[in-house]
Amino acid sequence: MSLKSTQARYGTIAMAFHWLTAIAILGLMVTGQLMDGLQDAARQITILQWHVPLGLAVLALTLARIGWWIFADSYPAHLSTGWQAVAAKAGHAALYALLLVMTLSGVAMMALSGAGETVFFGSATPLPDFGDYLPRIPHGLGSKLMLALVVLHIAAAIWHQRFKRDGAMTRILPARE
Ligand code: HEM
Ligand code: HEM
């Protein structure tokens, strides 16, 4: 298996970026949902102690992933043609855009509110109402949009695997020698 992608399949580094991000996004969606409408501040602090580092890891992975694609690797050939190829490209680009919107709005929320002191350094200052800060809006809307796109993305992967049988899933999974 090669580190870089070939025309036929994704390389090990691209696969690692993809699946590490996928697992982290699952964790972020679950922890995000657990915080939604939560009244218990102590519990919200505990959840944020997981949510924020996981979100920062996704930011680092996404920046490294974009750099990897631009400077080192090139995409495998498209499996689809016509409108399906356009939809796949647009869908993937939208997922990247949302990864940046979500992580950067999260960082901005924490920075503007100063909540880091309370979440990570044991400050007695109560948690702020994040709704008072503008980046809360793209963070909330973006999370819903991302969930919808990820569901579509998974549906497309299953459709490729089950009905088109073109190996879309196999080429982003480690090869069985
Ligand atoms: C791709 C990355 C991320 C995803 C998918 C994500 C997802 C979510 C979701 C689903 C919620 C609940 C939203 C709602 O109920 O309307 C949430 C809330 C929150 N997220 Fe993230 N998040 C990400 C990254 C980050 C980062 C990097 C930070 C901080 C550095 C962060 C800080 C927060 C905070 C402070 C809240 C609570 C807001 C509140 O209680 O009103 N998130 N996130
Ligand atoms: C269980 C969850 C997931 C499954 C089954 C899945 C499946 C796949 C498959 C089969 C491909 C390869 C498409 C091709 O052959 O060209 C792919 C690529 C891709 N996926 Fe996912 N995916 C999942 C989660 C995610 C998540 C959470 C994101 C981002 C939020 C994401 C973003 C992408 C992107 C951007 C690509 C294009 C390749 C790249 O730039 O790395 N995927 N996915």
Side-chain angles (χ1 to χ4, degrees):
M1 234 166 29
S2 96
L3 286 183
K4 290 195 184 183
S5 306
T6 62
Q7 278 295 294
R9 65 176 1 272
Y10 287 91
T12 314
I13 303 280
M15 280 183 219
F17 280 138
H18 178 268
W19 293 111
L20 286 173
T21 305
I23 293 166
I25 294 293
L26 184 70
L28 283 159
M29 290 292 184
V30 171
T31 49
Q33 280 313 310
L34 289 175
M35 280 188 288
D36 192 13
L38 190 67
Q39 299 301 326
D40 181 343
R43 203 146 173 248
Q44 181 162 15
I45 290 175
T46 309
I47 298 173
L48 281 171
Q49 285 168 348
W50 289 92
H51 189 82
V52 172
L54 208 53
L56 293 178
V58 168
L59 175 59
L61 277 171
T62 304
L63 295 178
R65 180 174 178 184
I66 292 172
W68 174 254
W69 281 126
I70 293 178
F71 297 112
D73 208 355
S74 45
Y75 273 97
H78 266 288
L79 290 171
S80 309
T81 51
W83 71 268
Q84 290 176 7
V86 175
K89 262 193 216 169
H92 292 166
L95 283 169
Y96 274 104
L98 280 171
L99 285 168
L100 292 174
V101 167
M102 289 304 295
T103 49
L104 296 176
S105 60
V107 170
M109 241 193 302
M110 291 299 289
L112 291 174
S113 66
E117 291 286 327
T118 308
V119 174
F120 296 108
F121 301 105
S123 158
T125 316
L127 269 186
D129 179 353
F130 290 105
D132 292 343
Y133 300 90
L134 215 58
R136 180 68 182 83
I137 297 172
H139 205 75
L141 291 177
S143 72
K144 287 172 185 65
L145 205 56
M146 180 179 261
L147 186 61
L149 266 184
V150 168
V151 168
L152 255 177
H153 179 70
I154 295 173
I158 294 172
W159 175 67
H160 273 276
Q161 191 66 16
R162 291 290 304 271
F163 301 108
K164 286 191 89 181
R165 297 183 189 278
D166 55 8
M169 192 69 107
T170 320
R171 72 183 195 156
I172 199 162
L173 286 169
R176 270 178 265 167
E177 310 295 344

